[in-house]
Amino acid sequence: MARIKFTTDSASDIPAPLREELNIQVFPFPIAMEDRELADGFDFTPQEFYDMLLAAPKIPTHAQLNPYLFTEAFEAAYTAGYTDLIHTSINSKGSATCSNAFQARGDFYRDHPEAEGSFHIHIIDALNYTMGYGWAVVQGAKMAAGGAAPQEIVDYIQDWVDHVRVVFAPLDLRFAKKSGRVSAAAAFVGEALGLKPIMTFTDGESKILAKVRGERAVAVKLAEMCKNERRPGSPYLLIQGNNAEQSGKLLELCRQELGEEPALSFRIGGVIAINAGPNLIGVVYRA
């Protein structure tokens, strides 16, 4: 009988209660803030991090997850008797973390050739961020609890990340422009005219889908896009930062336009906030 271990990284933004309930191992990205190193998603709540981020004299930095960390996790799961480990990774085009996981898998099988037929390490490149892949990991863990086979779960997660849309609007572009990692946001011009970008990631690359004038129009556009593009019957999730007013407006509009509650409303974690800013709203759905 299969025993499945689920792992991912903290940029997946899986809320702590869910990762604990479903026994999902989340590897925290290390965040350097002044003279401290913080574990993303473990040493602070999202709101605590937003407050620290806004008060910081310079933008914090975060490092990739190294191969050694993955090798240790693979060793531990193998020793514990798991038959499968399913790791879903942050976008490979934005971090070397994913390639480090692949490297560690190769190193593990080189050191443990006897494990190749009995311990299967599946690595999925999300080519995305936040609950664009975190949601798939959560659902995969629930499938496993219901007795689903490992390959069925891998296929589900891969299908989700292949079709998911993470559509968001950074309402304050200071952090995106400073970090430079969300290239389309960093290059955006139009703030002086009151324009706000509606963005997504396609094949791992950031892309501006639309420009709207003023904050009031942002939630309207996001709800409209979700209504028009979401696959019927599939769930939608709401992305929140520290803007309670706009998050509340987006929730009400989605309720009206879609006729149902979101499957989850969650706050972005430290890595996402550093690169997109804490003042953002968005939606996640399967197109």
Side-chain angles (χ1 to χ4, degrees), residues 177-191:
K177 287 185 177 294
K178 285 179 182 177
S179 80
R181 287 176 179 261
V182 186
S183 57
F188 180 76
V189 292
E191 299 110 297

Side-chain angles (χ1 to χ4, degrees), residues 25-243:
Q25 184 175 4
V26 174
F27 305 125
F29 283 99
I31 293 176
M33 180 171 280
E34 298 179 65
D35 58 349
R36 294 181 294 167
E37 183 175 288
L38 303 172
D40 183 30
F42 289 82
D43 288 343
F44 48 76
T45 66
Q47 186 58 56
E48 286 170 345
F49 187 76
Y50 305 155
D51 294 341
M52 291 189 290
L53 181 59
L54 292 170
K58 64 179 183 178
I59 188 168
T61 59
H62 56 86
Q64 64 192 25
L65 300 178
N66 62 51
Y68 178 70
L69 179 147
F70 290 109
T71 300
E72 280 196 316
F74 300 160
E75 293 271 2
Y78 178 52
T79 301
Y82 285 96
T83 61
D84 293 81
L85 183 146
I86 303 174
H87 177 71
T88 310
S89 174
I90 188 174
N91 181 8
S92 63
K93 294 185 179 179
S95 173
T97 292
C98 187
S99 62
N100 288 343
F102 278 107
Q103 178 186 327
R105 181 173 69 177
D107 292 344
F108 174 84
Y109 285 128
R110 183 198 62 212
D111 294 339
H112 298 280
E114 78 284 357
E116 290 203 39
S118 59
F119 179 56
H120 311 283
I121 301 172
H122 314 267
I123 300 174
I124 300 167
D125 180 359
L127 288 173
N128 223 313
Y129 299 95
T130 191
M131 285 291 276
Y133 62 103
W135 178 255
V137 177
V138 167
Q139 297 310 303
K142 290 180 178 180
M143 290 170 67
Q151 193 57 52
E152 180 185 355
I153 296 168
V154 170
D155 290 345
Y156 166 81
I157 295 175
Q158 187 66 62
D159 180 69
W160 173 270
V161 299
D162 285 346
H163 295 91
V164 71
R165 289 277 262 176
V166 177
V167 185
F168 66 102
L171 300 173
D172 179 347
L173 288 168
R174 286 179 298 162
F175 290 94
K177 287 185 177 294
K178 285 179 182 177
S179 80
R181 287 176 179 261
V182 186
S183 57
F188 180 76
V189 292
E191 299 110 297
L193 300 175
L195 297 177
K196 304 292 182 183
I198 306 293
M199 304 185 62
T200 194
F201 286 88
T202 301
D203 295 326
E205 304 288 351
S206 59
K207 178 181 177 183
I208 294 176
L209 298 173
K211 302 173 185 178
V212 297
R213 190 174 300 279
E215 281 194 5
R216 289 188 172 189
V218 170
V220 173
K221 186 65 175 178
L222 289 171
E224 175 189 293
M225 292 180 71
C226 186
K227 180 182 180 181
N228 292 338
E229 296 181 353
R230 182 177 68 123
R231 175 171 288 194
S234 63
Y236 75 95
L237 295 76
L238 296 187
I239 307 171
Q240 295 186 60
N242 66 352
N243 193 323

